[in-house]
Every structure is written in structure tokens, then in C-alpha cells.
Amino acid sequence: MIKIHLDKIMLDRQISSKELAQKVGITQANLSILKTQKAKGVRFNTLESICKILQCQPGDIIEYVED
């Protein structure tokens, strides 16, 4: 199972969903889908933008956990 830790990183960086979505160039709805682990995938350019804005690595956001 893939777990998404975007909420934790956003809280640590004190950035709102609205602000992050605007800076990344995606809708708040799409960001919400990613945050709630309902996304089927994520584009590398979106992940790259998120990491650049939040100053983190992809592994800080995405984690693989065995079921």
C-alpha cells in the first residue's frame, strides 16, 4: 500500500491547501484527492513542484507499506 504524508509536510511547513494548490498549479480538489490517498497516480511534474515548494524529497511525501 502507498501512503501519502502530504498533510504532515504541509502542517510542518505551515502552508494551506489553497496556497499549495495555487503554487503547484492544480485545483484544490485534485490536491485533496492526493492528500486523502484516493489518487490513482501522480504526475512527476506535479510531484516535483510539490517537493520544490515544500522543500522536501518525494520519499517524505510517499511511503510504501506492506499490507
Side-chain angles (χ1 to χ4, degrees):
M1 168 195 309
I2 301 294
K3 293 195 134 207
I4 305 294
H5 302 291
L6 192 52
D7 276 340
K8 181 182 180 291
I9 302 295
M10 290 172 61
L11 184 63
D12 290 347
R13 305 298 193 273
Q14 298 180 350
I15 188 168
S16 69
S17 292
K18 181 179 180 179
E19 184 180 357
L20 182 59
Q22 287 176 339
K23 288 183 176 186
V24 172
I26 60 175
T27 65
Q28 282 185 262
N30 283 340
L31 183 61
S32 177
I33 289 168
L34 182 58
K35 286 173 40 179
T36 57
Q37 303 185 37
K38 294 179 182 175
K40 301 288 184 197
V42 61
R43 294 179 184 262
F44 282 130
N45 62 343
T46 300
L47 183 59
E48 182 179 356
S49 294
I50 290 171
C51 289
K52 184 176 182 179
I53 292 161
L54 296 179
Q55 297 180 343
C56 66
Q57 294 295 313
D60 298 331
I61 297 171
I62 300 171
E63 176 187 21
Y64 170 74
V65 178
E66 286 195 45
D67 293 330

XYZ file of all heavy atoms in Angstrom:
529
model
N 0.842 -1.167 0.000
C 0.000 0.000 0.000
C 0.899 1.246 0.000
O 1.926 1.278 0.644
C -0.904 0.002 1.239
C -1.596 1.320 1.459
S -2.342 1.610 3.079
C -3.330 0.201 3.343
N 0.496 2.224 -0.752
C 1.202 3.504 -0.786
C 0.491 4.476 0.159
O -0.723 4.646 0.087
C 1.210 4.097 -2.213
C 1.896 3.139 -3.199
C 1.863 5.477 -2.230
C 3.363 2.930 -2.948
N 1.257 5.078 1.054
C 0.706 6.067 1.974
C 1.226 7.448 1.591
O 2.391 7.600 1.215
C 1.101 5.748 3.417
C 0.484 4.472 3.936
C 0.614 4.421 5.419
C -0.733 3.997 5.934
N -1.022 4.445 7.239
N 0.363 8.428 1.709
C 0.710 9.812 1.390
C 0.761 10.624 2.688
O -0.188 10.606 3.469
C -0.331 10.435 0.431
C -0.498 9.590 -0.826
C 0.034 11.875 0.092
C 0.712 9.528 -1.716
N 1.866 11.294 2.905
C 2.058 12.082 4.129
C 2.056 13.579 3.836
O 2.739 14.357 4.509
C 3.376 11.689 4.798
C 3.465 10.243 5.150
N 2.714 9.665 6.139
C 4.206 9.240 4.611
C 2.991 8.376 6.218
N 3.894 8.099 5.288
N 1.304 13.981 2.844
C 1.294 15.381 2.421
C 0.761 16.301 3.521
O 1.288 17.392 3.734
C 0.479 15.524 1.141
C 0.584 16.845 0.394
C 2.030 17.230 0.124
C -0.188 16.764 -0.911
N -0.266 15.864 4.238
C -0.826 16.685 5.322
C 0.232 17.044 6.362
O 0.309 18.185 6.802
C -1.985 15.959 6.015
C -3.305 16.122 5.302
O -3.432 17.075 4.509
O -4.210 15.314 5.546
N 1.028 16.046 6.747
C 2.059 16.270 7.768
C 3.099 17.273 7.285
O 3.469 18.192 8.015
C 2.730 14.947 8.120
C 3.798 15.073 9.180
C 4.452 13.730 9.457
C 5.524 13.837 10.501
N 6.699 14.557 10.074
N 3.551 17.114 6.047
C 4.557 18.024 5.496
C 3.983 19.436 5.397
O 4.656 20.416 5.733
C 5.039 17.545 4.110
C 5.615 16.129 4.185
C 6.052 18.506 3.523
C 6.864 15.989 5.010
N 2.732 19.538 4.942
C 2.093 20.854 4.834
C 1.966 21.517 6.201
O 2.184 22.722 6.337
C 0.730 20.732 4.163
C 0.806 20.398 2.691
S -0.797 20.037 1.971
C -1.652 21.581 2.256
N 1.621 20.735 7.213
C 1.500 21.270 8.572
C 2.852 21.752 9.072
O 2.965 22.848 9.642
C 0.922 20.199 9.497
C 0.644 20.615 10.929
C -0.424 21.706 10.979
C 0.199 19.420 11.755
N 3.896 20.942 8.839
C 5.252 21.325 9.247
C 5.700 22.617 8.569
O 6.395 23.434 9.177
C 6.251 20.216 8.908
C 6.080 18.974 9.771
O 5.372 19.032 10.791
O 6.658 17.929 9.399
N 5.304 22.795 7.300
C 5.723 23.969 6.525
C 4.732 25.138 6.662
O 4.951 26.194 6.101
C 5.866 23.632 5.042
C 6.783 22.474 4.714
C 8.216 22.701 5.140
N 9.133 21.731 4.560
C 9.415 20.539 5.081
N 8.823 20.141 6.194
N 10.280 19.724 4.492
N 3.645 24.905 7.385
C 2.614 25.924 7.618
C 2.101 26.509 6.306
O 2.096 27.728 6.106
C 3.133 27.013 8.553
C 3.503 26.493 9.921
C 4.017 27.572 10.841
O 4.279 28.705 10.443
N 4.173 27.230 12.101
N 1.644 25.624 5.418
C 1.087 26.059 4.143
C -0.304 25.434 3.996
O -0.507 24.270 4.341
C 2.010 25.676 2.963
C 1.519 26.304 1.654
C 2.195 24.188 2.847
C 2.514 26.207 0.509
N -1.235 26.218 3.524
C -2.606 25.743 3.363
C -2.775 24.993 2.048
O -1.958 25.130 1.127
C -3.582 26.920 3.396
O -3.425 27.712 2.222
N -3.840 24.221 1.978
C -4.150 23.501 0.732
C -4.364 24.482 -0.404
O -3.902 24.257 -1.522
C -5.405 22.644 0.916
O -5.157 21.595 1.806
N -5.057 25.552 -0.118
C -5.345 26.556 -1.143
C -4.047 27.149 -1.689
O -3.859 27.250 -2.907
C -6.231 27.653 -0.569
C -6.602 28.722 -1.563
C -7.511 29.769 -0.939
C -7.875 30.845 -1.943
N -8.756 31.850 -1.372
N -3.152 27.522 -0.794
C -1.885 28.133 -1.209
C -1.024 27.143 -1.993
O -0.457 27.490 -3.034
C -1.121 28.628 0.017
C 0.158 29.357 -0.311
C 0.904 29.851 0.913
O 0.408 29.690 2.045
O 1.997 30.402 0.724
N -0.934 25.901 -1.513
C -0.127 24.900 -2.208
C -0.699 24.606 -3.588
O 0.041 24.554 -4.570
C -0.026 23.614 -1.386
C 0.837 22.511 -1.999
C 2.274 22.983 -2.224
C 0.806 21.266 -1.125
N -2.006 24.444 -3.675
C -2.642 24.161 -4.965
C -2.362 25.285 -5.964
O -2.044 25.023 -7.128
C -4.139 23.964 -4.783
N -2.463 26.527 -5.506
C -2.202 27.671 -6.383
C -0.756 27.674 -6.866
O -0.486 27.890 -8.042
C -2.504 28.984 -5.668
C -3.977 29.261 -5.497
C -4.241 30.531 -4.698
O -3.387 31.013 -3.951
N -5.445 31.065 -4.835
N 0.178 27.428 -5.955
C 1.593 27.455 -6.318
C 1.972 26.305 -7.248
O 2.823 26.463 -8.119
C 2.469 27.427 -5.062
C 2.439 28.733 -4.292
C 3.365 28.703 -3.112
C 3.389 30.046 -2.411
N 4.384 30.096 -1.330
N 1.347 25.137 -7.058
C 1.640 23.972 -7.887
C 0.954 24.088 -9.242
O 1.444 23.584 -10.247
C 1.223 22.667 -7.166
C 1.328 21.458 -8.086
C 2.073 22.452 -5.917
N -0.200 24.755 -9.252
C -0.954 24.900 -10.496
C -1.967 23.788 -10.697
O -2.229 23.387 -11.833
N -2.510 23.271 -9.588
C -3.555 22.265 -9.648
C -4.756 22.768 -8.851
O -4.644 23.723 -8.091
C -3.095 20.886 -9.105
C -2.668 20.974 -7.639
C -1.975 20.317 -9.962
C -2.324 19.638 -7.005
N -5.892 22.127 -9.035
C -7.079 22.540 -8.292
C -6.988 22.028 -6.859
O -6.293 21.051 -6.568
C -8.367 21.985 -8.931
O -8.346 20.555 -8.823
C -8.496 22.413 -10.391
N -7.721 22.689 -5.973
C -7.785 22.230 -4.590
C -8.414 20.838 -4.528
O -8.034 20.028 -3.684
C -8.584 23.206 -3.736
C -7.800 24.446 -3.359
C -8.577 25.325 -2.410
O -9.209 26.290 -2.834
N -8.542 24.988 -1.147
N -9.350 20.566 -5.429
C -9.990 19.251 -5.467
C -8.966 18.159 -5.787
O -8.960 17.100 -5.145
C -11.118 19.240 -6.494
N -8.101 18.411 -6.761
C -7.073 17.423 -7.106
C -6.063 17.248 -5.980
O -5.610 16.136 -5.708
C -6.369 17.789 -8.403
C -7.192 17.466 -9.618
O -8.103 16.652 -9.554
N -6.893 18.110 -10.720
N -5.720 18.326 -5.305
C -4.815 18.236 -4.163
C -5.470 17.423 -3.045
O -4.831 16.583 -2.415
C -4.417 19.624 -3.664
C -3.421 19.646 -2.510
C -2.099 18.999 -2.901
C -3.198 21.077 -2.037
N -6.745 17.640 -2.827
C -7.485 16.895 -1.814
C -7.511 15.401 -2.124
O -7.349 14.570 -1.228
C -8.907 17.431 -1.705
O -9.654 16.679 -0.771
N -7.694 15.062 -3.383
C -7.687 13.652 -3.798
C -6.339 13.023 -3.476
O -6.263 11.895 -2.982
C -8.032 13.528 -5.299
C -9.513 13.850 -5.523
C -7.686 12.143 -5.838
C -9.898 14.028 -6.976
N -5.270 13.752 -3.709
C -3.936 13.248 -3.401
C -3.746 13.107 -1.888
O -3.280 12.073 -1.403
C -2.880 14.183 -3.994
C -1.423 13.788 -3.809
C -1.145 12.414 -4.411
C -0.508 14.832 -4.424
N -4.149 14.116 -1.141
C -3.976 14.104 0.315
C -4.759 12.990 0.988
O -4.314 12.439 1.992
C -4.403 15.450 0.911
C -3.426 16.564 0.655
C -3.932 17.923 1.109
C -4.660 17.922 2.402
N -5.105 19.250 2.829
N -5.923 12.658 0.454
C -6.776 11.641 1.078
C -6.506 10.241 0.534
O -7.267 9.318 0.814
C -8.268 11.984 0.896
O -8.554 12.107 -0.499
C -8.626 13.267 1.616
N -5.427 10.096 -0.223
C -4.976 8.824 -0.748
C -5.982 8.169 -1.693
O -6.037 6.954 -1.812
C -4.603 7.878 0.399
C -3.542 8.487 1.287
C -3.045 7.571 2.364
O -2.911 6.375 2.153
N -2.748 8.134 3.512
N -6.765 8.978 -2.387
C -7.734 8.470 -3.351
C -7.212 8.554 -4.782
O -7.857 8.082 -5.700
C -9.054 9.233 -3.227
C -9.743 8.995 -1.900
C -11.027 9.768 -1.783
C -11.647 9.528 -0.412
N -12.836 10.336 -0.211
N -6.034 9.147 -4.952
C -5.452 9.301 -6.286
C -4.956 7.958 -6.804
O -4.424 7.145 -6.049
C -4.299 10.301 -6.243
N -5.147 7.731 -8.086
C -4.643 6.517 -8.737
C -3.199 6.708 -9.187
O -2.497 5.739 -9.465
C -5.511 6.171 -9.951
C -6.949 5.931 -9.618
C -7.138 4.636 -8.885
C -8.624 4.402 -8.665
N -8.879 3.415 -7.658
N -2.754 7.953 -9.261
C -1.401 8.244 -9.692
C -1.120 9.725 -9.518
O -2.012 10.504 -9.209
N 0.126 10.083 -9.718
C 0.535 11.484 -9.650
C 1.580 11.712 -10.730
O 2.464 10.882 -10.938
C 1.066 11.855 -8.240
C 2.267 11.045 -7.849
C 1.358 13.333 -8.135
N 1.454 12.803 -11.432
C 2.432 13.145 -12.475
C 3.744 13.572 -11.822
O 3.744 14.234 -10.786
C 1.906 14.271 -13.348
C 0.705 13.895 -14.174
C 0.253 15.109 -14.990
N -0.947 14.810 -15.720
C -0.965 14.452 -16.999
N 0.162 14.389 -17.681
N -2.105 14.188 -17.600
N 4.845 13.179 -12.450
C 6.141 13.537 -11.904
C 6.329 15.046 -11.822
O 6.923 15.546 -10.862
C 7.281 12.911 -12.719
C 7.496 11.455 -12.420
C 7.570 10.543 -13.450
C 7.636 10.997 -11.129
C 7.775 9.203 -13.200
C 7.846 9.663 -10.858
C 7.909 8.751 -11.900
N 5.814 15.789 -12.807
C 5.989 17.247 -12.745
C 5.191 17.849 -11.589
O 5.615 18.831 -10.984
C 5.679 17.922 -14.082
C 4.261 17.732 -14.541
O 3.539 16.855 -14.064
N 3.845 18.543 -15.499
N 4.044 17.242 -11.254
C 3.275 17.705 -10.097
C 4.034 17.383 -8.818
O 4.163 18.242 -7.933
C 1.882 17.039 -10.061
O 1.181 17.373 -11.263
C 1.077 17.499 -8.866
N 4.549 16.170 -8.714
C 5.326 15.773 -7.537
C 6.570 16.640 -7.391
O 6.910 17.078 -6.283
C 5.713 14.296 -7.648
C 6.472 13.697 -6.482
C 5.687 13.807 -5.178
C 6.818 12.237 -6.783
N 7.215 16.931 -8.511
C 8.406 17.788 -8.485
C 8.060 19.185 -7.975
O 8.774 19.744 -7.136
C 9.012 17.875 -9.883
C 10.269 18.700 -9.950
C 10.867 18.754 -11.344
O 10.368 18.090 -12.267
O 11.862 19.491 -11.498
N 6.960 19.743 -8.435
C 6.528 21.068 -7.987
C 6.212 21.074 -6.496
O 6.591 21.999 -5.778
C 5.303 21.533 -8.764
O 5.612 21.735 -10.114
N 5.499 20.045 -6.048
C 5.164 19.945 -4.620
C 6.441 19.887 -3.785
O 6.573 20.597 -2.782
C 4.268 18.720 -4.353
C 2.875 18.948 -4.942
C 4.172 18.430 -2.853
C 1.975 17.730 -4.932
N 7.390 19.058 -4.196
C 8.652 18.933 -3.464
C 9.442 20.233 -3.462
O 10.032 20.605 -2.439
C 9.495 17.804 -4.043
S 8.838 16.162 -3.695
N 9.442 20.921 -4.589
C 10.166 22.195 -4.677
C 9.549 23.221 -3.730
O 10.261 23.896 -2.985
C 10.135 22.707 -6.114
C 10.931 23.969 -6.332
C 10.925 24.362 -7.795
C 11.760 25.604 -8.030
N 11.785 25.981 -9.439
N 8.239 23.326 -3.735
C 7.546 24.312 -2.905
C 7.681 23.971 -1.421
O 7.913 24.860 -0.592
C 6.068 24.423 -3.319
C 5.979 25.043 -4.722
C 5.262 25.224 -2.312
C 4.670 24.811 -5.423
N 7.545 22.684 -1.085
C 7.611 22.268 0.318
C 9.035 21.982 0.787
O 9.248 21.673 1.959
C 6.742 21.021 0.537
C 5.254 21.207 0.298
C 4.519 19.897 0.523
C 4.679 22.295 1.194
N 10.007 22.092 -0.125
C 11.420 21.846 0.174
C 11.591 20.485 0.855
O 12.082 20.383 1.986
C 12.003 22.973 1.026
C 11.985 24.301 0.318
C 12.552 25.431 1.152
O 12.694 25.329 2.364
N 12.879 26.525 0.498
N 11.157 19.442 0.132
C 11.251 18.090 0.654
C 11.585 17.126 -0.477
O 11.684 17.535 -1.632
C 9.944 17.682 1.337
S 8.526 17.543 0.216
N 11.754 15.881 -0.142
C 12.028 14.822 -1.104
C 10.749 14.021 -1.345
O 9.881 13.959 -0.461
C 13.118 13.891 -0.574
C 14.475 14.555 -0.428
C 15.045 14.976 -1.770
O 15.044 14.206 -2.729
N 15.527 16.206 -1.841
N 10.613 13.374 -2.505
C 9.422 12.558 -2.764
C 9.171 11.517 -1.666
O 8.032 11.256 -1.293
C 9.724 11.891 -4.105
C 10.640 12.843 -4.793
C 11.486 13.434 -3.685
N 10.244 10.953 -1.119
C 10.112 9.962 -0.052
C 9.556 10.522 1.244
O 9.094 9.774 2.100
N 9.604 11.845 1.397
C 8.989 12.476 2.572
C 7.468 12.471 2.450
O 6.762 12.487 3.456
C 9.467 13.923 2.730
C 10.964 14.033 2.958
O 11.553 13.081 3.521
O 11.541 15.066 2.567
N 6.987 12.437 1.213
C 5.550 12.515 0.933
C 4.947 11.135 0.708
O 3.855 10.840 1.169
C 5.297 13.394 -0.313
C 5.767 14.823 -0.054
C 3.824 13.382 -0.707
C 5.760 15.701 -1.273
N 5.686 10.279 -0.005
C 5.163 8.975 -0.417
C 5.933 7.865 0.282
O 7.165 7.872 0.299
C 5.282 8.803 -1.951
C 4.493 9.894 -2.654
C 4.808 7.427 -2.369
C 4.714 9.950 -4.147
N 5.183 6.905 0.833
C 5.802 5.778 1.527
C 5.106 4.483 1.119
O 3.883 4.437 1.006
C 5.652 5.961 3.044
C 6.173 4.818 3.863
C 5.869 4.951 5.344
O 4.943 5.691 5.712
O 6.561 4.295 6.122
N 5.892 3.438 0.903
C 5.341 2.112 0.638
C 5.273 1.336 1.951
O 6.261 1.248 2.679
C 6.191 1.345 -0.368
C 5.781 -0.108 -0.479
C 4.607 -0.450 -1.139
C 6.524 -1.111 0.099
C 4.201 -1.777 -1.223
C 6.139 -2.435 0.019
C 4.971 -2.756 -0.647
O 4.559 -4.059 -0.714
N 4.093 0.787 2.253
C 3.890 -0.025 3.451
C 3.232 -1.331 3.021
O 2.228 -1.304 2.304
C 2.980 0.713 4.472
C 2.742 -0.147 5.691
C 3.572 2.051 4.853
N 3.788 -2.451 3.443
C 3.178 -3.734 3.103
C 1.816 -3.847 3.774
O 1.637 -3.383 4.889
C 4.081 -4.884 3.523
C 5.293 -5.036 2.619
C 5.990 -6.359 2.791
O 5.302 -7.391 2.855
O 7.213 -6.321 2.865
N 0.876 -4.484 3.069
C -0.480 -4.656 3.606
C -0.493 -5.588 4.787
O 0.203 -6.471 4.965
C -1.412 -5.202 2.519
C -1.619 -4.167 1.424
O -1.576 -2.971 1.718
O -1.850 -4.575 0.270
